[in-house]
Amino acid sequence: MSAETPVQSAGTFTRLRLRFRAWRGRRPFWAGLFTLLGGLPIAYFPYATLKLGTMSIAMATTAGAGSLIIGVLLFTLGLTMWFQQATRIFAGVAAIVLSLVSLVVSNIGGFILGFVFALVGGALAVSWAPGAPPQPQPLGENGTEGGAPQGADPDTAILRPVVDEPAPYQAPEPGRDGSSGRTPESAWAGGDDANGGYRVG
């Protein structure tokens, strides 16, 4: 075992994690996972046998076959949400309906646990929508792609230095160039003014 083995294994793990994250982002992953988890207790509890010391407790009912069918259908719908995203709305509505049916068929929906998981999974599948692909950034002034994308934090955007900018306008202070801030007398000499040519102030 060489010293480079941990680095290689870490690189493989990172690569697999990034591939899984990309796969998960293109489908309603959490909706399918909750639906799968909802089908397990609904199908399991009617056929389970619990032992308390020497006493066996069987929760099988006359509708045990119905519970098994509902659990298998929920499991199938969860896989459908993962691998057939076009049918996600149908799968989500079907998961919600089956979770409601399980309340009266399968031990109160797998002791409420399977009912809640299947209901949440169906609701997530109905509300999920594929994300928009990233738009290419326009070319900058120097011909390279870039610029801060829309929605970027303005405090973290890279600003260019200001080059050859004219100095801002500054009003001259009265009296520095020999003039005062008062209106000259010649400005009031016209006779067509609203005040008849008379100086007001």
Side-chain angles (χ1 to χ4, degrees):
M1 182 174 178
S2 63
E4 297 179 357
T5 302
V7 177
Q8 293 176 355
S9 62
T12 303
F13 173 75
T14 303
R15 209 165 36 244
L16 292 175
R17 182 176 59 85
L18 293 176
R19 288 179 61 186
F20 172 72
R21 187 169 68 177
W23 177 85
R24 185 188 66 187
R26 293 191 298 266
R27 64 202 73 240
F29 175 77
W30 295 108
L33 182 63
F34 277 112
T35 306
L36 288 171
L37 294 177
L40 293 178
I42 290 175
Y44 172 75
F45 283 129
Y47 294 96
T49 301
L50 301 179
K51 289 187 177 182
L52 296 177
T54 58
M55 182 175 61
S56 298
I57 301 176
M59 291 177 285
T61 62
T62 56
S67 301
L68 181 62
I69 291 173
I70 291 176
V72 170
L73 285 176
L74 285 174
F75 197 85
T76 305
L77 289 172
L79 294 177
T80 303
M81 294 173 190
W82 282 354
F83 299 105
Q84 295 292 332
Q85 297 85 29
T87 60
R88 68 186 181 276
I89 296 178
F90 166 76
V93 172
I96 293 172
V97 171
L98 288 174
S99 67
L100 295 174
V101 172
S102 70
L103 286 173
V104 295
V105 173
S106 176
N107 294 330
I108 318 174
F111 295 110
I112 304 296
L113 189 63
F115 163 73
V116 170
F117 277 144
L119 192 67
V120 171
L124 288 175
V126 171
S127 63
W128 184 84
Q135 298 296 329
Q137 294 294 327
L139 295 178
E141 294 179 0
N142 55 359
T144 60
E145 289 189 19
Q150 290 184 348
D153 189 357
D155 293 336
T156 60
I158 300 175
L159 301 178
R160 299 177 182 172
V162 178
V163 180
D164 296 329
E165 286 276 335
Y169 173 76
Q170 294 182 354
E173 296 181 6
R176 175 167 295 186
D177 56 351
S179 63
S180 63
R182 300 185 61 182
T183 305
E185 296 287 338
S186 59
W188 302 100
D192 295 332
D193 286 27
N195 57 2
Y198 293 100
R199 179 178 174 188
V200 177

